[in-house]
Amino acid sequence: MKRAILPGSTGPDGRPATLGVMGGGQLGRMFVQAAQAMGYFTAVLDADPTSPAGLIAHYHIDTGYLDEQGLAQLMQRSAAITTEFENVPAPALITLGAHRPVSPGADAVAVCQHRAAEKAQFRRAGIACAPHAVIETADALAAVDAALLPGILKTSSLGYDGKGQLRVETLAALADAWAALGRVPCVLEKRLPLAAEVSVIVARDAGGTLVHFPVQRNLHRDGILAVTEVPARGIDEATQQRALDAARAVAESMDYVGVLCVEFFVLDDGSLVANEMAPRPHNSGHYTIDACDLSQFDLQVRTTAGLPLVAPRLHSPAVMLNLLGDLWFGADGGERTPPWPQLLALPGVHLHLYGKASPRRGRKMGHLTVTAPEFGQARVVALEAAALLGLPPF
Ligand code: ATP
Ligand code: MG
């Protein structure tokens, strides 16, 4: 097992030991906050000078992910390194990994970056995923089985929040859609009848110890996560157990070290199908900050620093609402400030804003977690909060 970077220890320069993170988005910001709570210094590599994590880290290296000097600086600063952005190029992680403990490793991140590789990994781990075809050539396009329609054509890499996806009904529409996506490598997935969506977040250390959060139920709107509910409302115990077992199996199949989120579809017939996975904390786990005794970011700090993992405990049922940039615009299209005082007057509301200066439609600006002693109470308050924000009920 790798040597731990102990809390309270100092680096070679006499300053507190530093944990580094590739990527400066909100996930990196919440990692930085968790690391700082334990006394670590933090270093963020992100080209954006105003990145949410870079703004609050001790060291911000504002270069691209493959910049040699930037990577050298990150290594020089950091005793161990993690990632918050799944599209960090594998070569960057390999470079870092040659000199510092890096988790998750380049191999696992590469699998999660590519839909076809990800589906192959699910299969190897014995987990069902949506019927699909890999489309990388015109021949592969011509050979597509019409039974996959109606389907969703997804770019194999770099998609997020429903970007890089087109719904297709016919083979002719499929050809047009592939052209519209630039004929890049894609996966065509059969569109499945979803009864619900759930996700599971696990953390695994180099010794193979694995702990997990409870199953989360997720509601997406326009391909973007909108609401997470925990415990997972309406999802029976057996289905939850299958999701937990599948998340464990895929983490073990990759000898994964770090925090991993696996997203699933629950189909109308009750079966469970893996959708995709993220080699990092996940938006559906943000509630863990306020509702669990250890958050997904605390566990990322522990796996990064090589510290012991213990099972996190949900101490309060929770409902999380994502706050997208849309909420900063009124019905007339003019800018407005969401009604924070009214929201904060509700019991059990925890507001998180990521420090992003310019709201844009679909941009994740923050989230709000409602906790309560009983799930029903949290849901009532979350519905009130949604109404105040002008969001539809769920
Ligand atoms: P993320 O931001 O989670 O990475 P993404 O852009 O990678 O999103 P997916 O998770 O593939 O997108 O899809 C987004 C949403 O679209 C899913 O959560 C689900 O609601 C819907 N969806 C995706 N694939 C299917 C499918 N095969 N059948 C039915 N619905 C689907
Ligand atoms: Mg997804």
Side-chain angles (χ1 to χ4, degrees):
M1 202 163 161
K2 73 184 183 195
R3 205 144 48 92
I5 320 299
L6 295 178
S9 60
T10 47
D13 58 0
R15 309 183 86 185
T18 297
L19 301 181
V21 55
M22 290 291 275
Q26 60 266 18
L27 298 170
R29 180 180 174 99
M30 291 181 267
F31 170 81
V32 161
Q33 289 167 335
Q36 291 179 346
M38 281 178 74
Y40 293 106
F41 268 25
T42 51
V44 166
L45 187 144
D46 190 303
D48 176 0
T50 64
S51 75
L55 285 176
I56 66 162
H58 296 85
Y59 309 109
H60 180 195
I61 300 153
D62 57 358
T63 69
Y65 295 121
L66 288 168
D67 186 284
E68 275 177 33
Q69 284 188 358
L71 292 174
Q73 269 186 50
L74 184 68
M75 282 190 277
Q76 190 236 327
R77 293 279 188 214
S78 311
I81 297 166
T82 186
T83 175
E84 65 103 44
F85 173 62
E86 71 207 59
N87 290 317
V88 169
L93 295 179
I94 292 168
T95 301
L96 297 171
H99 303 276
R100 291 285 182 273
V102 173
S103 57
D107 291 353
V109 173
V111 168
C112 300
Q113 283 172 351
H114 198 277
R115 285 189 195 279
E118 190 174 62
K119 285 181 174 14
Q121 190 70 39
F122 283 131
R123 281 206 175 148
R124 273 196 289 280
I127 301 161
C129 40
H132 64 278
V134 177
I135 299 179
E136 299 189 342
T137 62
D139 287 348
L141 178 76
V144 162
D145 183 349
L148 291 175
L149 299 171
I152 306 181
L153 185 66
K154 305 179 176 182
T155 57
S156 286
S157 48
L158 300 175
Y160 69 99
D161 289 348
K163 293 184 177 64
Q165 301 195 4
L166 291 170
R167 291 178 167 240
V168 290
E169 314 295 326
T170 63
L171 289 173
L174 173 64
D176 291 345
W178 194 48
L181 292 174
R183 295 194 169 84
V184 295
C186 282
V187 170
L188 173 69
E189 269 179 45
K190 188 174 173 64
R191 212 180 303 156
L192 300 173
L194 310 189
E197 294 188 64
V198 299
S199 58
V200 172
I201 295 167
V202 302
R204 187 169 181 273
D205 69 18
T209 297
L210 181 143
V211 299
H212 65 84
F213 290 97
V215 176
Q216 299 119 201
R217 178 171 179 165
N218 302 322
L219 171 72
H220 293 82
R221 294 194 185 110
D222 301 326
I224 306 179
L225 182 68
V227 181
T228 295
E229 297 174 296
V230 194
R233 179 169 56 90
I235 309 295
D236 62 55
E237 279 298 319
T239 303
Q240 296 202 25
Q241 191 57 51
R242 273 185 287 146
L244 292 170
D245 292 345
R248 173 186 291 275
V250 75
E252 288 177 349
S253 76
M254 297 188 286
D255 197 14
Y256 190 87
V257 177
V259 173
L260 176 76
C261 177
V262 187
E263 295 182 69
F264 300 91
F265 300 141
V266 182
L267 305 189
D268 284 346
D269 65 3
S271 59
L272 189 75
V273 165
N275 172 23
E276 58 174 358
M277 52 187 169
R280 50 167 173 77
H282 193 257
N283 194 168
S284 63
H286 289 356
Y287 76 91
T288 61
I289 296 173
D290 301 301
C292 295
D293 61 351
L294 289 168
S295 76
Q296 59 173 349
F297 303 102
D298 292 326
L299 296 190
Q300 188 183 17
V301 170
R302 288 178 181 228
T303 55
T304 303
L307 299 173
L309 286 178
V310 294
R313 181 177 62 86
L314 181 79
H315 56 67
S316 303
V319 179
M320 191 255 354
L321 304 180
N322 254 350
L323 303 174
L324 301 183
D326 308 55
L327 300 176
W328 274 252
F329 298 95
D332 59 357
E335 278 209 38
R336 61 165 195 179
T337 303
W340 304 133
Q342 290 95 313
L343 289 163
L344 293 169
L346 297 173
V349 164
H350 308 262
L351 176 64
H352 299 256
L353 293 177
Y354 307 144
K356 297 183 184 178
S358 43
R360 283 195 304 273
R361 292 194 186 278
R363 187 175 198 204
K364 290 174 179 170
M365 301 296 291
H367 70 271
L368 181 154
T369 300
V370 182
T371 58
E374 303 290 339
F375 177 78
Q377 294 164 278
R379 190 169 149 76
V380 166
V381 174
L383 285 166
E384 279 180 60
L388 282 170
L389 288 162
L391 294 170
F394 47 88

